[in-house]
């Protein structure tokens, strides 16, 4: 099993981390059960650091010590004002503190050290910004195995990589501080970005500000005259009301003692709020039209529409985008978790953890070897969990045989020829009488799905090993379905053929033996007994000619029973003679 690789959405407003566990991608929650962590860092006066919700909670009192939206500054020359806002840190260092906190959380959740990560960036990030993100990851102690585009991650989380060649996906991402629309096209199994358009100064924060300013106005105040700390309280309440209005049609905006004396309270309806934010929604739509025209596409040439980013939960946003594209959006994933989930899926594909569940967990088809008469002898049945091993002892069927051929087969059919041959091993052995050589054959599938065939000459202890890579488990779904379907369809004829083959093998062994026994023991038998045996023998020969499986099986059975007493008598006789010989010596 390869190293675990985590997936990280390092967002402007929020970040999240996930991992593939038992084949399922899942985000890792903090000790409070929250999967989403605000991308906020508080730097205390004596070097302490707090990240996430804890950092945000300090904002109303120590606003200047809390850094948010650092992603906007990644990989850029900073203005003096921007530099000062970072309090002597670089954007990479602050991002590294966020990534370090995510690492701590994931290691605590999983109870083991983690080193490898896939980190997402917006499709419009240039090389400098991508490299800065990678360096931030390394500063935090991650080996960054891939920088992944956010819209690609979003599409992966919805399983849109299954859509097929040339499919086009529009990803509308309205987060906390940024907006972008990307059009992807599936080419040779990977998503290519056909076009991306956006506004790095447009997001949920703007909507909070719009609502806060409205309320401040209704409270009879001048927005400009509200002090910094008070302004943060209005904004925090505005965000709460905004989010509530995504679920309800009405919510009360309440600011008790906003100036220490007076309180403010007002009911806000979803309809009102929708109207107030309309200009911002319209701006996102014009970006969508630009992205479409850049890609030279009409909105009806898009095969799937995905909405991500927390702000896409707002009903008026959703309906506006759906009407522009003339289709409903897939809402099966949480919009604010989709990117982290997609990064996690990509990480799982790179590490092999995703494929593990889908293909390598159980054997899709039975594995066995060909035995006498061309029969399939199943050693590991279909749907056995891997790793697993199974073996059987075989013997030579022919006198003075010098080698045995082991054909490794896969499939559900009774006859070897109807199954797939995975490989052949020839095991040489010292010529021996029929049934004297002993060959042990063992099939072993390891956790990576690699099949190893071990064939041992039990007498000499010499092993032959054949390794069959992946084919034992790496079988396409269609061929498994076809094989299983065929085995059901041919169940009766296959079974008849197996019965006939087994009975024929028995008959071929029995007939010469009966011949010999009759010669040796005729004197001990009554005429009636001889008649019974000869009738039974004739019936076996007749059934062999008729190729009638069930009557052959029955005839062989009768012949076996008819000669039982005679065979026992002959054995007894032989032993007596041997004893006599010994006594006379
Ligand atoms: P980013 O990608 O910018 O890091 P997210 O995708 O997590 O951020 O989006 C964060 C934004 O989504 C914030 O502005 C937040 O207020 C907004 N948001 C989250 N939930 C809702 C909701 N239920 N209704 C409206 N807006 C929401
Ligand atoms: Mg985001």
């Amino acid at each position: 099993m390869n190293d675990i690789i985590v997936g990280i959405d390092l967002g402007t407003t929020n970040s999240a981390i996930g991992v593939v566990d038992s084949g399922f991608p899942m985000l890792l929650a903090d000790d409070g059960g929250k999967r989403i962590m605000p991308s906020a860092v508080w730097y205390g006066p004596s070097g302490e650091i707090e990240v996430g919700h804890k950092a945000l909670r300090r904002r109303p009192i120590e606003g200047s010590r809390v850094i948010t939206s650092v992603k906007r500054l990644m990989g850029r020359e900073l203005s003096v004002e921007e530099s000062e806002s970072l309090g002597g840190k670089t954007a990479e260092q602050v991002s590294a503190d966020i990534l370090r906190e995510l690492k701590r959380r994931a290691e605590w959740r999983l109870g083991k050290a983690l080193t490898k990560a896939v980190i997402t960036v917006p499709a419009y990030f240039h090389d400098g910004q991508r490299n800065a993100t990678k360096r931030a990851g390394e500063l935090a102690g991650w080996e960054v195995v891939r920088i992944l585009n956010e819209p690609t991650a979003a599409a992966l989380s919805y399983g849109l990589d299954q859509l097929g060649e040339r499919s086009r996906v529009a990803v509308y991402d309205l987060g906390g501080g940024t907006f972008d629309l990307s059009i992807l096209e599936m080419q040779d199994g990977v998503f290519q970005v056909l076009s991306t358009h956006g506004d790095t100064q447009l997001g949920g924060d703007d909507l909070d500000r719009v609502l806060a300013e409205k309320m401040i106005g209704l409270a009879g105040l001048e927005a400009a005259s509200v002090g910094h700390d008070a302004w943060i309280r209005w904004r925090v309440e505005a965000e709460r009301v905004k989010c509530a209005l995504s679920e309800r049609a009405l919510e009360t905006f309440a600011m008790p003692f906003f100036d220490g004396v007076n309180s403010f309270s007002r009911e806000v309806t979803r309809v009102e709020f929708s109207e107030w934010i309309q200009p911002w929604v319209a701006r996102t739509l014009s970006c969508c039209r630009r992205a479409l025209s850049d890609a030279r596409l009409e909105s009806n040439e898009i095969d799937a529409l995905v909405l991500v980013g927390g702000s896409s939960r707002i009903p008026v946003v959703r309906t506006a985008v759906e009407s522009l594209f003339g289709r409903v959006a897939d809402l099966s994933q949480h919009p604010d978790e989709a990117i982290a989930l997609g990064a996690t899926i990509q990480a799982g594909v790179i590490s092999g953890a995703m494929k593990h569940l889908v293909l390598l967990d159980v054997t899709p088809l039975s594995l066995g070897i060909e035995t006498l008469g061309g029969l399939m002898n199943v050693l590991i049945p279909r749907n056995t969990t891997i790793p697993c091993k199974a073996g059987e002892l075989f013997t030579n069927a022919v006198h003075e045989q010098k080698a045995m051929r082991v054909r490794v087969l896969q499939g559900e059919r009774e006859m070897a020829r109807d199954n797939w041959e995975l490989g052949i091993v020839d095991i040489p052995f010292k010529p021996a009488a029929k049934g004297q050589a002993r060959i042990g054959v063992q099939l072993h599938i390891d956790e990576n799905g690699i099949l190893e065939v071990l064939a041992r000459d039990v007498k000499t202890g010499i092993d032959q090993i054949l390794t069959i890579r992946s084919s034992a488990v790496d079988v396409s779904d269609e061929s498994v379905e076809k094989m299983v379907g065929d085995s059901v369809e041919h169940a009766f004829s296959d079974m008849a053929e197996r019965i006939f083959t087994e009975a024929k093998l028995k008959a071929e062994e029995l007939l010469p033996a009966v011949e010999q026994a009759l010669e040796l023991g005729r004197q001990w038998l009554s005429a009636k007994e001889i008649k019974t045996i000869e009738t039974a023998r004739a019936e076996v020969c007749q059934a062999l000619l008729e190729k009638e499986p069930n009557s052959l099986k029955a005839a062989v059975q009768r012949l076996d029973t008819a000669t039982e007493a005679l065979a026992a008598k002959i054995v007894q006789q032989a032993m007596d003679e041997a004893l006599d010989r010994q006594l006379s010596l």
Side-chain angles (χ1 to χ4, degrees), residues 326-343:
R327 55 168 53 242
V328 293
D330 185 335
L331 299 172
S332 55
Q333 302 297 333
H334 292 301
D336 30 19
E337 296 181 4
I339 289 170
L341 200 67

Side-chain angles (χ1 to χ4, degrees), residues 415-428:
M415 303 308 293
R417 58 158 198 269
D418 295 321
N419 293 311
W420 302 326
E421 182 186 289
L422 295 183
I424 288 184
V425 217
D426 282 311
I427 305 132

Side-chain angles (χ1 to χ4, degrees), residues 494-571:
D494 271 14
M495 197 31 96
E497 196 164 355
R498 171 178 281 275
I499 290 170
F500 183 77
T501 309
E502 283 173 351
K504 182 164 165 267
L505 288 170
K506 188 90 195 284
E508 282 166 356
E509 209 173 288
L510 205 54
L511 287 173
V514 169
E515 194 74 35
Q516 220 182 353
L518 276 179
E519 232 162 72
L520 285 170
R522 199 172 278 271
Q523 72 269 25
W524 301 313
L525 299 171
S526 68
K528 196 178 159 229
E529 281 168 327
I530 293 172
K531 178 100 177 87
T532 311
I533 291 174
E534 278 177 343
T535 311
R537 186 172 59 166
E539 279 170 2
V540 169
C541 295
Q542 183 62 27
L544 271 174
L545 287 176
E546 285 170 359
K547 294 198 184 313
E548 200 4 271
N550 287 310
S551 58
L552 178 61
K553 190 179 174 186
V556 167
Q557 193 69 52
R558 280 196 299 274
L559 180 59
D560 203 20
T561 319
T563 51
E564 235 170 28
L566 176 58
K569 178 88 184 140
I570 289 170
V571 170

Side-chain angles (χ1 to χ4, degrees), residues 2-268:
N2 293 322
D3 283 353
I4 295 178
I5 307 179
V6 301
I8 296 176
D9 170 10
L10 181 62
T12 310
T13 317
N14 294 305
S15 297
I17 185 167
V19 71
V20 173
D21 188 15
S22 317
F24 291 100
M26 54 168 214
L27 301 192
L28 299 167
D30 64 9
D31 44 13
K34 294 198 175 74
R35 293 190 292 266
I36 289 180
M37 182 182 88
S39 305
V41 188
W42 171 79
Y43 291 100
S46 35
E48 319 95 297
I49 298 179
E50 277 176 5
V51 183
H53 288 101
K54 281 188 193 152
L56 265 197
R57 273 197 293 272
R58 294 182 177 270
R59 206 145 66 136
I61 319 119
E62 305 177 80
S64 61
R65 292 197 165 274
V66 180
I67 297 174
T68 56
S69 300
V70 70
K71 186 174 177 178
R72 290 179 186 287
L73 308 181
M74 289 290 276
R76 279 184 33 206
E77 288 286 337
L78 303 188
S79 68
V80 177
E81 196 191 338
E82 285 168 338
S83 282
E84 276 172 2
S85 76
L86 293 182
K89 308 263 171 194
T90 65
E92 285 169 31
Q93 286 171 329
V94 179
S95 293
D97 284 327
I98 297 169
L99 290 165
R100 206 175 281 122
E101 177 64 20
L102 291 171
K103 188 166 188 277
R104 201 194 54 75
R105 170 195 291 195
E107 289 179 339
W108 169 75
R109 268 280 163 223
L110 298 176
K112 58 180 110 180
L114 298 166
T115 52
K116 296 183 178 181
V118 168
I119 305 179
T120 59
V121 295
Y124 58 76
F125 257 27
H126 56 62
D127 271 357
Q129 293 170 299
R130 286 167 195 261
N131 285 330
T133 304
K134 191 162 183 242
R135 281 195 301 272
E138 287 160 1
L139 269 178
W142 291 112
E143 178 192 329
V144 182
V145 296
R146 188 162 309 173
I147 292 287
L148 181 69
N149 282 326
E150 287 168 9
T152 302
L156 285 177
S157 75
Y158 281 93
L160 296 177
D161 48 322
Q162 307 292 322
L163 277 180
E165 269 312 276
R166 299 276 147 203
S167 317
R168 296 182 190 115
V169 180
V171 180
Y172 177 101
D173 183 351
L174 186 57
T178 60
F179 164 70
D180 51 274
L181 182 105
S182 305
I183 296 175
L184 311 177
E185 186 176 82
M186 179 58 90
Q187 295 172 8
D188 299 322
V190 285
F191 283 116
Q192 299 292 339
V193 180
L194 289 187
S195 69
T196 178
H197 248 287
D199 189 332
T200 53
Q201 306 295 329
L202 170 59
D205 294 350
D206 297 295
L207 313 181
D208 303 342
R209 205 186 57 239
V210 170
L211 183 56
E213 283 172 354
K214 281 273 177 208
M215 296 298 115
I216 288 171
L218 288 171
L221 302 171
E222 280 287 337
S225 67
V226 174
H228 178 265
D229 292 353
W231 169 240
I232 287 177
R233 286 177 57 216
W234 285 92
R235 288 273 309 265
V236 169
E237 175 64 358
E239 185 179 12
R240 188 193 65 77
V241 172
K242 171 188 77 173
C243 294
L245 289 174
S246 295
E247 313 298 323
R248 288 186 285 281
L250 189 75
E251 181 66 21
T252 304
F253 188 110
M255 279 294 282
F257 310 112
F258 60 85
D259 56 2
V261 185
N262 300 294
S263 294
F264 173 82
S265 161
R266 161 78 149 74
E267 283 195 332
V268 182

Side-chain angles (χ1 to χ4, degrees), residues 321-500:
V321 180
E322 287 179 340
S323 76
L324 174 74
F325 283 92
R327 55 168 53 242
V328 293
D330 185 335
L331 299 172
S332 55
Q333 302 297 333
H334 292 301
D336 30 19
E337 296 181 4
I339 289 170
L341 200 67
T344 300
I345 291 169
Q346 179 68 68
V349 169
I350 296 172
S351 74
M354 279 301 283
K355 197 176 161 220
H356 200 76
L357 175 89
V358 186
L359 289 172
L360 304 188
D361 210 20
V362 296
T363 54
L365 292 170
S366 303
L367 292 167
I369 64 175
E370 174 172 353
T371 49
L372 227 50
L375 290 172
M376 166 73 163
N377 181 348
V378 172
L379 295 183
I380 299 176
R382 160 182 158 70
N383 281 334
T384 302
T385 328
I386 65 167
C388 56
K389 66 170 107 171
E392 217 167 290
L393 210 56
F394 297 93
T395 179
N396 60 328
V398 180
H399 192 63
E400 292 296 290
Q401 190 177 338
K402 292 190 182 65
M404 190 164 121
R405 166 160 288 199
V406 176
R407 276 182 78 206
V408 182
L409 304 169
Q410 178 171 44
E412 306 311 309
R413 305 288 300 276
E414 297 288 345
M415 303 308 293
R417 58 158 198 269
D418 295 321
N419 293 311
W420 302 326
E421 182 186 289
L422 295 183
I424 288 184
V425 217
D426 282 311
I427 305 132
F429 43 73
K430 286 224 188 73
K434 182 181 167 189
Q436 290 296 297
R438 296 235 178 274
I439 300 296
V441 177
Q442 186 182 72
L443 302 187
H444 173 216
I445 306 177
D446 71 11
E447 45 283 306
N448 298 314
I450 293 170
L451 169 65
E452 191 184 78
V453 184
L454 181 140
R456 172 174 300 169
D457 180 339
V458 175
K459 256 199 192 140
T460 62
I462 294 172
D463 288 341
Q464 302 278 323
I465 294 174
L466 174 72
T467 303
I468 299 168
R469 294 211 164 263
S470 73
S471 51
V473 277
D474 239 350
V475 183
S476 75
D477 288 351
E478 300 99 85
S479 30
V480 169
E481 251 165 55
K482 181 163 188 324
M483 175 57 82
V484 174
D486 282 355
S487 75
V488 171
E489 192 178 314
H490 297 102
F492 286 104
S493 57
D494 271 14
M495 197 31 96
E497 196 164 355
R498 171 178 281 275
I499 290 170
F500 183 77

Side-chain angles (χ1 to χ4, degrees), residues 266-278:
R266 161 78 149 74
E267 283 195 332
V268 182
T269 67
R270 180 187 285 175
V271 176
E272 271 178 318
F273 178 66
S274 303
E275 255 168 49
W276 294 336
I277 66 171
Q278 194 54 52

